[in-house]
Amino acid sequence: MKKRGERLFACAMAGMLLMGSMAGCGSVPGSSSETPKESAVSGAAEASSAPASAAESEAAESSAVESSAAESSAVESAAAPSEAPAGFNYEPLENTEGKEIRIATLTVSNNPFWNTVVEGIAAAEEYLAGQNVTVDVIEFDDFDGQAFADAIDTCIVKDYDAITTVGVADTIVPAIDKATAAGIPVYTFNSDTEKESTRVAFVGQDLYAAGGVAAQKLAELMGDAGKVGIITGYYNVNAHELRRQGIEDELSGHSGIEVVGSVENHDSGDEAYTAAKDFITANPDLTGLIVTAGGPQGAAKAIDELGLTDTISLVCFDTTDEIVGYVKKGVIKGTVTQDPFGQGCDPIVLAYNQVISGDAAVTGKAFTKMDVYTPDNIAEVFPD
């Protein structure tokens, strides 16, 4: 399997696995945890049959029952799921049977946006540890569809119970269909494939609509007049194309706005920096820039260095530290969010719940929340 980077999270420690199994099955034949219970009950029986007072016999039996009840309560408490952490949009079920569950998660890590996605994945992994769940995370440096397809095929061979993956390209559709045919539910997140697959659900932004929202904000900032350059991540990534199409369709309805072109920056801040300068050089009267994916901080840097903050309105997506900093500075005039933390944890929880219950609680598309932040409201959510 071609893996550009792999990181495995061991989610269930041995002690927690044992307690989850005990709670689900009531008792585990041959486990050492049964011995104290059996000894206590046996000791109580011996005390009741030995020559002793009724009070002593009753006290011994009562003590044994209390000890057994306390032990049982402790086991149940360890296995029962606590309230889901902030950021989870779905409540995990309890693994009452103590079944060992293995989930594979395939994600990208080519720019700071993905750090928060991985935080969501890690939160799900940690939370589900007490439910006998292991989450194995495989990270890739880019959107290599064949590498993802190969990884999914390997996950099928390794007999995972569920798979969550970025829907990087149509190349992965045959692998997704093969997994579901083998009884392994697959959930895509962040980006879905353009071609239909048998994945259970997509968890992520309504990407076309998000492009429209960003374009509306840009048109408002530009006073419905001027020239706009579009910097997109990859033309072959469906998520980026949906946003770009949403942007262009929305701006086409504003007669005073002209789109002068679009270029790829491969989610790179350095490439976005160069692209922004090229747009400005070719169009000295440029008044708008929009970045569909990673790297908007590069475009912001170019605008800032050229002293064009008051001339060019820049709109983008997400709230990485660099983006938030440029919004507060007033260089980035608007950014649209997509709940990256939820994109990491939610598909894992949904996949886990399906394995536990046998049913999918969500099918089709589970869109994440979408907010717009500007220099006027960014500090409310991201205070200094």
Side-chain angles (χ1 to χ4, degrees):
M1 177 177 65
K2 180 182 178 184
K3 292 180 285 186
R4 303 186 183 277
E6 176 170 336
R7 182 167 46 156
L8 301 182
F9 293 108
C11 304
M13 295 185 297
M16 302 182 82
L17 288 172
L18 178 59
M19 287 188 289
S21 178
M22 287 169 59
C25 301
S27 63
V28 183
S31 71
S32 59
S33 61
E34 283 189 349
T35 305
K37 290 186 179 182
E38 291 176 349
S39 298
V41 174
S42 176
E46 289 175 2
S48 65
S49 61
S53 67
E56 290 174 335
S57 177
E58 183 177 347
E61 187 171 354
S62 174
S63 176
V65 171
E66 289 176 0
S67 175
S68 179
E71 189 174 354
S72 176
S73 176
V75 170
E76 290 175 0
S77 176
S82 57
E83 183 178 349
F88 281 47
N89 297 304
Y90 301 93
E91 191 72 28
L93 302 174
E94 183 177 356
N95 186 1
T96 57
E97 296 180 359
K99 177 183 178 181
E100 181 181 355
I101 298 171
R102 297 165 57 246
I103 299 173
T105 294
L106 285 61
T107 188
V108 179
S109 58
N110 69 343
N111 72 78
F113 162 80
W114 294 99
N115 295 342
T116 308
V117 176
V118 172
E119 287 175 8
I121 292 169
E125 165 254 338
E126 181 179 0
Y127 179 79
L128 292 173
Q131 298 300 311
N132 209 359
V133 179
T134 301
V135 179
D136 291 342
V137 183
I138 305 171
E139 294 184 18
F140 297 83
D141 293 337
D142 57 29
F143 294 83
D144 187 334
Q146 189 57 56
F148 270 76
D150 291 343
I152 294 171
D153 284 340
T154 299
C155 290
I156 297 170
V157 173
K158 290 185 176 181
D159 198 26
Y160 278 90
D161 294 289
I163 299 170
T164 73
T165 180
V166 179
V168 292
D170 286 351
T171 314
I172 71 172
V173 170
I176 290 175
D177 293 346
K178 188 188 302 182
T180 58
I184 303 172
V186 178
Y187 287 76
T188 56
F189 62 93
N190 182 261
S191 178
D192 202 11
T193 61
E194 183 176 7
K195 183 179 179 181
E196 187 176 350
S197 75
T198 54
R199 59 101 175 102
V200 180
F202 161 68
V203 179
Q205 190 178 64
D206 183 339
L207 295 149
Y208 180 84
V213 169
Q216 286 175 1
K217 187 63 184 178
L218 182 60
E220 174 190 327
L221 291 165
M222 295 172 58
D224 269 341
K227 294 181 178 180
V228 174
I230 300 173
I231 301 173
T232 193
Y234 295 82
Y235 289 128
N236 66 343
V237 173
N238 190 42
H240 302 171
E241 276 298 274
L242 285 171
R243 280 183 182 161
R244 187 178 68 83
Q245 291 165 10
I247 290 165
E248 292 191 353
D249 287 352
E250 173 61 32
L251 293 180
S252 68
H254 297 259
S255 58
I257 293 179
E258 176 189 357
V259 175
V260 296
S262 67
V263 297
E264 288 180 304
N265 75 319
H266 307 101
D267 280 354
S268 165
D270 290 340
E271 289 188 41
Y273 174 84
T274 301
K277 282 195 167 184
D278 288 346
F279 269 126
I280 293 167
T281 300
N283 305 275
D285 54 348
L286 190 79
T287 53
L289 272 174
I290 191 161
V291 182
T292 72
Q297 69 275 5
K301 180 181 177 182
I303 292 171
D304 195 24
E305 286 182 354
L306 294 170
L308 296 174
T309 297
D310 295 332
T311 304
I312 298 177
S313 296
L314 172 60
V315 173
C316 63
F317 296 83
D318 305 319
T319 52
T320 65
D321 290 343
E322 289 178 296
I323 292 173
V324 169
Y326 275 116
V327 173
K328 288 182 176 181
K329 194 175 180 180
V331 180
I332 294 177
K333 300 299 196 298
T335 189
V336 183
T337 66
Q338 58 174 318
D339 189 13
F341 186 92
Q343 288 183 21
C345 65
D346 289 346
I348 294 174
V349 172
L350 289 170
Y352 159 76
N353 283 352
Q354 182 174 349
V355 173
I356 288 295
S357 68
D359 295 314
V362 174
T363 59
K365 297 179 180 180
F367 291 136
T368 54
K369 56 190 175 184
M370 185 164 52
D371 298 311
V372 179
Y373 294 117
T374 68
D376 294 330
N377 66 2
I378 191 75
E380 298 173 10
V381 182
F382 300 94
D384 293 328

